[in-house]
Amino acid sequence: MIKIANVSKHQENPMIKIANVSKHYGSFQVLKDCTTSVSKGEVIVVCGPSGSGKSTLIKCVNGLEPFQSGDIIVNGISVGDPKTNLSKLRAQVGMVFQNFELFPHMSITQNLAIAQVKVLKRSQDEAMDKGLKLLDRVGLKAHAAKFPGQLSGGQQQRVAIARALAMDPICMLFDEPTSALDPEMVNEVLQPRHLHGPGRHRRGRQQGNLLRQSAFGTGAAVPRQDPASLSRGCWADASIPRRRVRRLSPRQA
């Protein structure tokens, strides 16, 4: 038996709502009755050991992975509904992957512009202008003409984040974007001002608001406003004094 998380009373109209989601790979169950929600502007981090289902859960949110039961609602749209246009939904949901996924034969500005032109139908000039502004925000404007292979791993991941933001997403998904980096490169991704913009101060450090978007990610890829842990694909809510923490863990049968 799994204890189902209770949705906070402050999340009546969440940006992302995950309700009793279960997923199997054949006879192996990856996710079991997962339930939670992410409010507009809220940042949620899912933490857990390798193989616990973090990446699978993130990919279910925008339909990259199908699930067998339950439902996921993103901005009022059901991901599991066969009638849902997943391509259109994904165009509104930014995603940053573990391994950058940049086009190696394109320059940095071309990498940022291509989806804007192909999907959002922006003009080439408008897309380039948007891309350059975001590159400047992540501190990489001077590298705009370079190719991905000429950048460090941390720089490439910052380009990937800028590329996702260039689509003006309604929310952001982060799938452990620092896991493929050397330890010295992790701070290069986590510290730039694109992740820690104007916001509240907590424990002596600035709490960024990620362009006022909702963020749902795994590992240490997003500011830990609301960390969580995932084990064996199951989770439950718990309260910690002076700080609400959503913990994802199995309940013993």
Side-chain angles (χ1 to χ4, degrees), residues 15 60-63 72-80 84-94 169-171:
M15 175 60 69
C60 284
V61 172
N62 65 354
I72 297 177
I73 308 295
V74 178
N75 198 32
I77 300 172
S78 173
V79 177
T84 296
N85 186 332
L86 290 178
S87 295
K88 184 177 180 179
L89 177 63
R90 290 178 190 132
Q92 303 177 64
V93 179
I170 57 176
C171 60

Side-chain angles (χ1 to χ4, degrees), residues 5 29 58 62 64 75 79 94 101 105 111 115 121 151 159 186 194 203 218-219 247-248:
Q29 186 162 16
I58 290 292
N62 65 354
L64 289 178
N75 198 32
V79 177
E101 307 297 346
H105 62 292
N111 266 278
K121 306 303 179 183
L151 303 182
V159 171
V186 172
H194 68 286
R203 296 184 181 179
T218 62
R247 295 204 174 275
L248 316 185

Side-chain angles (χ1 to χ4, degrees), residues 39-43 137 165 170-172 174 192-201 206-215 222-223 225:
S39 297
K40 292 181 180 179
E42 187 176 20
V43 176
R137 182 164 186 180
L165 294 174
I170 57 176
C171 60
M172 291 284 291
F174 293 85
R193 62 177 181 262
H194 68 286
L195 286 182
H196 301 282
R200 297 171 296 176
H201 285 74
Q206 194 173 37
Q207 183 75 26
N209 60 12
L210 200 67
L211 298 184
R212 298 181 178 84
Q213 294 161 327
S214 303
V222 294
Q225 176 177 316

